[in-house]
Structure formats: structure tokens, C-alpha cells
Amino acid sequence: MMPLVAAGSTALLHNALLVGAILFALGLVGILTRRNLIVMFLSAELMLQGISVSLVAWSRYHGDFGGHVLVIFVLTVAACEAAVALVFVLQAFARTGRLDAAAWQALREATLPRAVDHALPASDAIPPRWPRLARAGIEPPADDAAALEREHV
Amino acid sequence: MLPDLSPGVLLAGAVTAAAASLWLLLPRGAESRAARWLGLVLGAVALAGLVAAGRRLGSLGEEGVFLTVALVAVVSGAATIVTRSPVYSAIWFALSLAGVAGVLLVLGAQFLGVATIVVYAGAILVMFLFVLMLAQPSGLASYDRVSNEPLLSAVAGAVLLGLLSLSIGRLSSDASCCAPPTRAAAVVTAAGNAVSPGSRRGLSEDTMKPGAEATGSAQAAAGDAADPLAVDQVARLGGELFGRHLLAVEVAGVLLLAALIGAIAIVARGEAALEDDRRLAAEGSRR
């Protein structure tokens, strides 16, 4: 396999670091804003992906395996973190019946005001589009004439 | 083509557009189609600016491959955090992982590219989806339709991205000042220094010989290390992992075991605590 770009290429390093920075910033915004616990964890994983891209880019630039090894450990720790965190999320859901981070605001400091949700419109202005599946298990209408007819010869 | 903009202005514009786009697209309770379209357009502008801020990679093919996988990673990463439904969010994250795996493959990390797909998309993400199926109320929950401080967070993300991209641009614009030389180059330089006195005339032959040998082995080592896409790359990564980092591998194994036991312990204790809560509540209502 021929190398796409020569090792130690500054342009490739620059672009890959930029991608890593964008992924990290997106994950940061996600974990700060979203209130669904699962989406918060997905954002944290997005930040980890940004870090992985940066590490591998530096590893490529220097021509050694240090970054690769670090990314393998990032994967390991991410798996552990996801396992433990999801157990916490499930327990939290069993307690409150919601995946809402704000359901736990009783744990805030005593001096902080209580966060109050503003009134939401009863339904979304833009209703979510769920996938529509065709009904299965229905016998199709049999039409012998159509079955014999062919569109193309 | 784009008009002549200094890289700083270009980056600042792109980052500002990205922040505005994120603010418009994040769930804010009351959405309008106009805001969503404006957000999408601003996002496209931000992406175009960031693409223009990137370096050219040489040939069109390399450029196209890198651009495609990077755009997939970034666009679906953005969709992960702005989608209202957490299930769609998880699926967008899977697509983002595919893009990241592509970037890793372009960077020559074959094992990591495959491992990202297998471990992340195959195992961790499926675990997330299982939890979502266990814990998702039907339809969109109210907390999926609002977010905490979208404006401030978008600004914070934009400031972080601006600072990072500025420092990245300065770092690689003159590589000689800031970036350390590659290990391969350092080996070659050291070998050259070692051999240059020996190659002068007037020195005896036996002082020349080790120097020449050193150059040969150094160049072989340099060729080895400088080619991350060699055929035996994964084998060498394994050698590095289980040679130099053997202790860390063992510690990672212990960490995995501890996480496994910890997860089971938390579930068991949580169940017991829930039972206690229910019993107390029942007694309270009886009284």
C-alpha cells in the first residue's frame, strides 16, 4: 500500500488537528447545552474522538506509535466509562423516570437559585418526522394478468 | 474563488458563523423553520470557511478523500448535538464515528480506524442504544426540546475553536520554529554528525568503519520509522504496545475488570435502595 501523503507532512497535520479541534468544540457545546443524559455522554465521546484524531495526527507527523498507543488506552477507558456511566443513568431513570439532568438539581449548592423551565409550547412548531414503515405480513393482492405482463423484454 | 482574506479574518468569520449556526440549530423550545434554514446556511458557510482555512494536501485525490471523511465526521458530529431525538443523535454519532475512522485511515492508523468502528460503533454505541430503549419515554420528552444556555455555550465553543485553530495555524505555518523535528530526521542528523569526521581524509580506516555502519543502520531505522504505512505496521504497533507499554496494558485490564465489577455492584445496590424507598413510601402512605 502506497502512502497517501508523505509522513511528516505539515499540511496533513494541520488539517487533521483542525478536524480534531472542531470535534472537540462540538462535543463541548453538546455537553454544556443538552439536558438528556445520554446525549451528554455522546458529546463526551465526541470530545474523545477529537482527541484521538489529534493524537494520531501527531503520531503520524513524528513517525512513531506513541499516539496510537494512547488512543488504544483512550478506547479502553471510554469503554469503562460508558459501562459505569450507563449504569448510573439507568439507576437515575429508575429513580425519577426521566433522563433529564435537571431532574437532579436538588443536588445543587444551597446558594444557587433553582433553574426553572420556561413554558414550552404544547407541541413542536416543527413536528418530528418519524420513519414510517410499510405494514408487513399482509398477503399482496394476486393479479395473474399483471404477473404475466412484463415491462421490459 | 474566495476573495483575498487573511487567514485570521477567515477563521474568525468561520468560527462566528459556526457559533451562530449552532445557536440557531440547538433545541430552544420554540423553533421556526426560518431559524432552522438560516442555521443550516450559516453552518454551510462556516464549513466552507474552515475548508478554506485548511492546507492543501498536494494531489486532488488525497485532498478529496480527506475532505470527504472529515466533512462526514464534522457534519454528523454537529448533527449529533443538535438533533432532538436521542436515538437519532446516537445514529448520527455512529456516522461521525465512521468519518473519524476514515480520518484515522488517511492518517495511516489502520488498526485504530478498524478498532474505532468495531469497539465504538459496534459495542459502546449499541450499549447506548440499549439504554435508550430501556429508558426512553415515547415521543420527544420536554427536556429534549430545550437546552441549557445555548447562546453562551455556542460562544464558549466558538472561542475555544478559534483559539485552537489560531494556535494550530501558527504552529504549522513555520514548522522549523515550533515543531520538533521528526524522530527519523533526528536519527539521520545524528548519524550524519557521527560520520562526518570519519569521512574526512587523513583518518585511519577503522575509525571510519563504525561510522559508516551507524549511518547504514540509522538510515534503515529512519526508513522503518518514517513509513507508517509499511506492510507490518499493525505488527509493529502490537510490538510497541506489548513491549514498551506492557505494564500499562495490564493496568488497563485491571481497570476494565474494576469497571465491570463496579457496574454490577452499582446495579445491585441501586435495586436494594429502590426497594427501601418503595417500602418507606408505602409505610408513609399507610400511616
Side-chain angles (χ1 to χ4, degrees), chain A residues 76 79-85 87, chain B residues 127 252-268:
Chain A
T76 315
C80 295
E81 169 236 316
V84 175
V87 170
Chain B
M127 202 154 68
V254 173
L255 179 68
L256 279 169
L257 182 66
L260 183 68
I261 295 174
I264 295 172
I266 293 166
V267 170

Side-chain angles (χ1 to χ4, degrees), chain A residues 1-5 7 10-12 14-19 21-26 28-30 32-36 38-39 41-43 45-46 48-49 53 56-58 60-65 68-69 71-73 75-80 82-84 86-91 93-95 98-100 120-126 128-131, chain B residues 26 29 31 33 36 50 53-57 62 66 70 73-74 77-78 81 83-84 86 88 90 93 96-97 100 104 106-109 111-112 120 124 127-128 131 135 140 142-148 150 153 157 160-161 164-165 168-169 171-172 179-180 182-183 225-226 228-229 233 236-237 241 245 248-249 255-256 259 263 266-267 270 273-274 277:
Chain A
M1 185 177 167
M2 288 296 290
L4 272 175
V5 186
T10 325
L12 186 60
H14 177 274
N15 289 356
L17 286 181
L18 203 56
V19 172
I22 295 170
L23 287 179
F24 189 89
L26 282 175
L28 181 77
V29 173
L32 285 177
T33 54
R34 293 307 298 264
R35 286 195 16 204
N36 193 315
I38 302 269
V39 181
F41 278 113
L42 285 179
S43 308
E45 307 283 336
L46 203 60
L48 286 180
Q49 292 303 310
V53 169
V56 171
W58 279 114
R60 171 68 185 273
Y61 183 64
H62 289 297
D64 66 6
F65 284 118
H68 291 210
V69 172
V71 172
I72 290 174
F73 289 124
L75 275 178
T76 315
V77 175
C80 295
V84 175
L86 287 178
V87 170
F88 275 124
V89 167
L90 274 182
Q91 293 292 323
F93 181 75
R95 289 282 173 110
R98 328 175 56 180
L99 286 175
D100 189 1
L120 274 175
S123 64
D124 255 342
I126 310 172
R129 264 187 304 181
W130 306 112
Chain B
L26 275 170
E31 285 96 13
R33 282 178 204 279
R36 186 174 286 187
L50 286 168
R55 300 280 150 87
R56 304 282 81 85
L57 287 183
E62 295 154 9
F66 185 84
V74 167
I81 68 167
T83 314
R84 283 150 187 77
Y88 282 172
F93 181 65
S96 175
L97 284 177
V100 167
L104 294 183
V106 172
L107 286 170
F111 174 73
L112 287 177
Y120 257 108
I124 298 183
M127 202 154 68
F128 274 97
V131 171
L140 279 186
S142 63
Y143 48 85
D144 282 328
R145 291 167 50 202
V146 287
S147 34
N148 289 330
S153 311
L160 177 74
L161 179 59
L164 281 177
S165 49
I168 290 168
L171 176 97
S172 52
T182 66
R183 180 196 275 182
L229 297 185
Q233 188 223 17
R236 281 188 294 137
L237 176 60
L241 187 62
H245 303 282
V249 171
L255 179 68
L256 279 169
I266 293 166
V267 170
L274 270 181
D277 281 359

Side-chain angles (χ1 to χ4, degrees), chain B residues 229-246:
Chain B
L229 297 185
V231 192
D232 60 341
Q233 188 223 17
V234 178
R236 281 188 294 137
L237 176 60
E240 176 101 358
L241 187 62
F242 291 105
R244 235 175 107 188
H245 303 282
L246 183 60

Side-chain angles (χ1 to χ4, degrees), chain B:
Chain B
M1 280 306 288
L2 286 166
D4 271 345
L5 291 173
S6 75
V9 175
L10 188 66
L11 264 182
V15 163
T16 314
S21 149
L22 274 186
W23 177 64
L24 286 170
L25 288 176
L26 275 170
R28 282 173 301 144
E31 285 96 13
S32 66
R33 282 178 204 279
R36 186 174 286 187
W37 276 108
L38 186 61
L40 288 177
V41 169
L42 277 176
V45 168
L47 279 180
L50 286 168
V51 167
R55 300 280 150 87
R56 304 282 81 85
L57 287 183
S59 83
L60 198 64
E62 295 154 9
E63 186 96 23
V65 170
F66 185 84
L67 207 58
T68 309
V69 289
L71 279 181
V72 167
V74 167
V75 169
S76 34
T80 303
I81 68 167
V82 301
T83 314
R84 283 150 187 77
S85 157
V87 178
Y88 282 172
S89 199
I91 292 171
W92 277 115
F93 181 65
L95 192 58
S96 175
L97 284 177
V100 167
V103 173
L104 294 183
L105 284 178
V106 172
L107 286 170
Q110 300 154 14
F111 174 73
L112 287 177
V114 176
T116 299
I117 293 285
V118 172
V119 176
Y120 257 108
I124 298 183
L125 198 68
V126 171
M127 202 154 68
F128 274 97
L129 282 174
F130 273 141
V131 171
L132 272 175
M133 288 175 199
L134 283 176
Q136 177 68 11
S138 67
L140 279 186
S142 63
Y143 48 85
D144 282 328
R145 291 167 50 202
V146 287
S147 34
N148 289 330
E149 302 289 350
L151 181 62
L152 285 182
S153 311
V155 169
V159 168
L160 177 74
L161 179 59
L163 287 177
L164 281 177
S165 49
L166 269 187
S167 57
I168 290 168
R170 195 189 308 153
L171 176 97
S172 52
S173 61
D174 52 341
S176 58
C177 87
C178 314
T182 66
R183 180 196 275 182
V187 168
V188 169
T189 319
N193 287 344
V195 78
S196 55
S199 59
R200 267 185 235 132
R201 268 180 230 159
L203 283 176
S204 64
E205 211 167 316
D206 49 17
T207 53
M208 275 177 69
K209 237 182 182 173
E213 272 170 17
T215 317
S217 61
Q219 271 165 357
D224 236 24
D227 184 11
L229 297 185
V231 192
D232 60 341
Q233 188 223 17
V234 178
R236 281 188 294 137
L237 176 60
E240 176 101 358
L241 187 62
F242 291 105
R244 235 175 107 188
H245 303 282
L246 183 60
L247 187 64
V249 171
E250 300 290 341
V251 171
V254 173
L255 179 68
L256 279 169
L257 182 66
L260 183 68
I261 295 174
I264 295 172
I266 293 166
V267 170
R269 281 208 188 171
E271 296 292 330
L274 270 181
E275 285 300 311
D276 284 353
D277 281 359
R278 281 190 200 122
R279 210 181 51 231
L280 282 178
E283 279 172 10
S285 67
R286 217 175 291 147
R287 250 176 243 158

